Amino acid sequence: MDYQRLLLDHLDLVDQIVRTIGRRRHLSSTEREDFASFVNLRLVEDNYAILRKFQHRSTLWTYLVTVIEHLSLDFTAQRWGR
């Protein structure tokens, strides 16, 4: 499977999820941009490892919401500590 194409085809979805989670976590616009960069980097890291773990047991939307929500925890912990 071409995971790069999968990500490119769903970048709008990723951006929408990042914006929603960023607002929910009360991130400033600058922090939301940093969070978006963090998410995009993590999605392409290690040859699209996160996308390769997708097992089609849910919709891609559900999977990405869950993954990006967990990434938001990593982002805030990295930024401000636990």
Side-chain angles (χ1 to χ4, degrees), residues 18-79:
V18 166
R19 280 193 311 271
T20 301
I21 291 173
R23 281 193 308 269
R24 190 178 311 138
R25 294 200 171 274
H26 306 287
L27 299 178
S28 69
S29 61
T30 304
E31 291 167 334
R32 280 196 304 266
E33 289 175 18
D34 291 346
F35 177 51
S37 297
F38 178 81
V39 168
N40 288 325
L41 177 63
R42 294 294 300 268
L43 289 174
V44 299
E45 210 171 53
D46 194 21
N47 199 25
Y48 303 92
I50 289 174
L51 294 176
R52 284 188 283 122
K53 291 179 184 177
F54 177 54
Q55 297 178 356
H56 302 276
R57 292 188 289 165
S58 65
T59 64
L60 182 60
W61 181 85
T62 302
Y63 178 75
L64 287 174
V65 167
T66 303
V67 165
I68 295 171
E69 186 67 50
H70 283 97
L71 288 175
S72 74
L73 298 174
D74 294 343
F75 177 77
T76 55
Q78 175 182 328
R79 200 93 188 206

